[in-house]
Amino acid sequence: VDRDLVERARKGDREAFAVLVHQVSDGLYAVAWRILRDSGLAEDALQNALVLAWRRLPKLRDPERFEAWIHRILVHACYDESQRARSWRAVTVLPIEMPGAPDFSSSIADRDELERAFRHLTIEQRAVFVLHHYLGLPLVEVAELLGIPAGTARSRLHYATAGLRTALTAVAEPLTREGRLA
Amino acid sequence: MTDDRSLERAARSWLEEGPTRAPDRTVEHALTRIQTTSQERDLRIPWRYQHMNNSLRLALGAAAVVVAVVVGVTLLPGLTGPDTGASPSPISNPTATPEPSPIVLFREGPLAAGTYITSAIFPVAVEVTVPDGWGALQLASTVTVLEAEEAYLGFWIVQDARRDPCGLGGVGDAPVGPTAADLAAALADAPGFDAPDPVQVTVGGLDAQYVELVGPLAACTESEPEPELWLTADGSCRCMESHVERNRLWIIDLDGTRLVVDVLDGGVTGTSEAALAELQDIIESLQISS
């Protein structure tokens, strides 16, 4: 992202901000969709995040941090959309250690189960999971981006991974795991 | 290969599936909304002039002008009166008139000792007596500031508080209720600050909710380190410095308009007894009416 564009937009230049929007929208939408798993909600989250970013841009202290900053706004917009939609269920904390769990290959059944299990994660867990595994951000950067302690980010990722692992294990071992995520 | 690794590989592969391009209509809708959306401005308190050189003072003055332009308020008629020169002397000189406490309008810049009243653009009439060494700034139509070397006193017309001063506002941050007590409770509960419960007091001849905040206890994030306490109707935010200070707040309800008398005196980092006494005299001099 061009620092000069950010500076101009901070000073109220809407044309400069429009250029920035076109540069970052695709990436933001991809993240929002993966967190929310819903096109309509992701579109609303993106739109609200862009408008809020415009409003708050004068507060951004370091233009070099524009991308991390706008991702933070996007994630919070996703939280808002998720809350508004009221269609997600918080997951109960699942056991972490699953000795003897099978190798998770990329079967279609696994993918369906991943989708189903992911929707059972809390929105905060999903955000950390997507930022870490989709954007490839280290956990300390995820924590900084979200404005949370590193330990909290680590914990959210831990429980997200455990939830997914349990779901996939349930598919692989239907007799022993049946009903665990019902 | 460990289970976790195979899971992560499967999850990453699964995450790669899905759209990577934002719908054009969504982006265009956002840009259309932005055309009619104003930017927020946080008003950093121009306090502690002993640490600032003259160029910074000028920059702060310029920043105040920018704020005024952004919020779309014509300040000059209310601020300067017929005399628009650089002279710091007030419209009436308290020592040259027979009245014991002449009232003059706030003006940008240093104030002579005397009694002043907020300018006509400010929604509430606040009368205050200051000694030598104080200056005034009209930072926005809803924000009037008095400041000296060791203290700051602001008058804010507050629309809403940030329940989470490190949050993003407007996203998951429900507005506080409409009363002075609602605002006081929200400020006292703000995470990242130490504050006892609000108490009922009298200031400027009116009932007020009093809150004493000490903080912020930590910076928010690297990109937006300073927490925000509240927002005015014209988009001005009260932004806290990232070092710990004591903020004394009197919140007054004037027929639905909430005036916050905002005093920052560095009670944690140290302010002289003389400066604290001077501040106390100023607070006791307040007369407020809608």
Side-chain angles (χ1 to χ4, degrees):
Chain A
V1 170
D2 185 339
R3 182 191 173 103
D4 180 57
L5 282 174
V6 179
E7 288 284 14
R8 284 167 48 199
R10 282 183 73 218
K11 293 171 182 168
D13 185 335
R14 287 183 168 84
E15 288 183 14
F17 189 72
V19 176
L20 286 172
V21 165
H22 286 294
Q23 288 179 359
V24 300
S25 286
D26 288 346
L28 293 175
Y29 179 73
V31 169
W33 188 90
R34 280 157 180 80
I35 293 172
L36 293 164
R37 313 301 296 180
D38 181 283
S39 298
L41 294 178
E43 287 179 36
D44 287 346
L46 173 63
Q47 201 177 131
N48 291 336
L50 292 174
V51 174
L52 185 61
W54 164 253
R55 274 175 42 201
R56 294 185 64 89
L57 195 50
K59 301 166 191 296
L60 176 63
R61 294 282 171 259
D62 180 4
E64 298 287 350
R65 300 188 59 79
F66 175 79
E67 282 186 274
W69 173 81
I70 201 168
H71 273 89
R72 179 179 180 228
I73 290 176
L74 176 82
V75 171
H76 282 265
C78 288
Y79 292 169
D80 223 26
E81 286 306 311
S82 167
Q83 196 170 27
R84 194 172 60 80
R86 295 179 184 281
S87 58
W88 315 114
R89 282 193 307 161
V91 71
T92 51
V93 176
L94 298 165
I96 308 304
E97 298 301 329
M98 299 295 293
D103 181 29
F104 303 116
S105 60
S106 55
S107 72
I108 292 174
D110 282 351
R111 287 166 183 273
D112 287 346
E113 197 57 31
L114 268 171
E115 182 78 38
R116 206 165 11 249
F118 191 78
R119 287 174 182 271
H120 281 76
L121 301 179
T122 67
I123 192 72
E124 293 85 1
Q125 290 168 347
R126 288 193 228 174
V128 170
F129 196 84
V130 169
L131 294 174
H132 182 63
H133 286 304
Y134 179 66
L135 287 188
L137 297 178
L139 271 179
V140 287
E141 286 186 31
V142 172
E144 168 56 27
L145 186 150
L146 296 176
I148 58 177
T152 303
R154 195 175 306 115
S155 170
R156 288 178 185 173
L157 182 67
H158 182 74
Y159 284 113
T161 306
L164 296 179
R165 184 199 297 123
T166 303
L168 292 186
T169 303
V171 170
E173 300 175 358
L175 292 179
T176 56
R177 304 296 175 197
E178 191 173 5
R180 182 173 288 276
L181 281 178
Chain B
M1 184 187 304
T2 67
D3 295 332
D4 275 353
R5 284 187 181 166
S6 61
L7 170 64
E8 287 175 6
R9 194 171 57 248
R12 282 180 177 148
S13 171
W14 169 74
L15 283 172
E16 285 300 319
E17 299 170 2
T20 55
R21 192 168 190 287
D24 291 340
R25 65 177 183 282
T26 304
V27 176
E28 292 311 315
H29 283 163
L31 291 174
T32 301
R33 285 173 61 189
I34 286 162
Q35 288 302 317
T36 55
T37 302
S38 299
Q39 289 185 315
E40 292 177 4
R41 300 280 161 181
D42 57 340
L43 302 181
R44 308 182 76 185
I45 303 307
W47 184 44
R48 292 192 163 173
Y49 270 18
Q50 70 268 33
H51 298 310
M52 302 179 186
N53 57 32
N54 285 337
S55 61
L56 183 51
R57 288 189 188 211
L58 290 172
L60 285 167
V65 171
V66 169
V67 168
V69 170
V70 167
V71 300
V73 176
T74 305
L75 293 177
L76 287 175
L79 288 171
T80 59
D83 176 9
T84 57
S87 166
S89 48
I91 296 170
S92 304
N93 182 342
T95 61
T97 55
E99 293 82 7
S101 297
I103 295 172
V104 294
L105 296 176
F106 273 157
R107 312 185 63 197
E108 298 272 354
L111 300 172
T115 299
Y116 294 80
I117 191 166
T118 46
S119 68
I121 63 166
F122 195 72
V124 173
V126 181
E127 190 180 310
V128 58
T129 300
V130 297
D132 282 328
W134 285 74
L137 283 173
Q138 184 84 45
L139 293 182
S141 63
T142 52
V143 189
T144 296
V145 162
L146 288 170
E147 24 115 45
E149 284 195 355
E150 291 189 78
Y152 144 88
L153 187 151
F155 304 108
W156 295 72
I157 305 299
V158 175
Q159 182 183 51
D160 198 9
R162 300 288 199 216
R163 289 184 188 277
D164 177 5
C166 286
L168 292 165
V171 177
D173 196 10
V176 303
T179 68
D182 293 331
L183 182 56
L187 291 168
D189 287 342
F193 292 84
D194 281 338
D197 289 339
V199 293
Q200 182 84 27
V201 297
T202 299
V203 68
L206 299 171
D207 289 339
Q209 292 281 318
Y210 175 74
V211 181
E212 189 169 308
L213 293 179
V214 174
L217 305 179
C220 292
T221 62
E222 280 187 31
S223 51
E224 290 189 57
E226 293 132 354
E228 295 170 0
L229 282 181
W230 60 68
L231 189 69
T232 68
D234 58 15
S236 301
C237 296
R238 172 69 161 91
C239 190
M240 306 295 292
E241 298 293 339
S242 52
H243 49 256
V244 175
E245 302 285 2
R246 181 177 71 166
N247 297 268
R248 290 185 285 158
L249 308 172
W250 288 263
I251 304 160
I252 303 145
D253 195 336
L254 292 143
D255 301 325
T257 297
R258 287 184 295 200
L259 170 71
V260 174
V261 179
D262 171 24
V263 171
L264 184 63
D265 61 25
V268 173
T269 55
T271 300
S272 70
E273 289 296 322
L276 290 173
E278 196 171 277
L279 250 180
Q280 190 58 35
D281 287 344
I282 293 172
I283 293 165
E284 289 174 5
S285 78
L286 293 175
Q287 292 295 320
I288 301 165
S289 57
S290 53

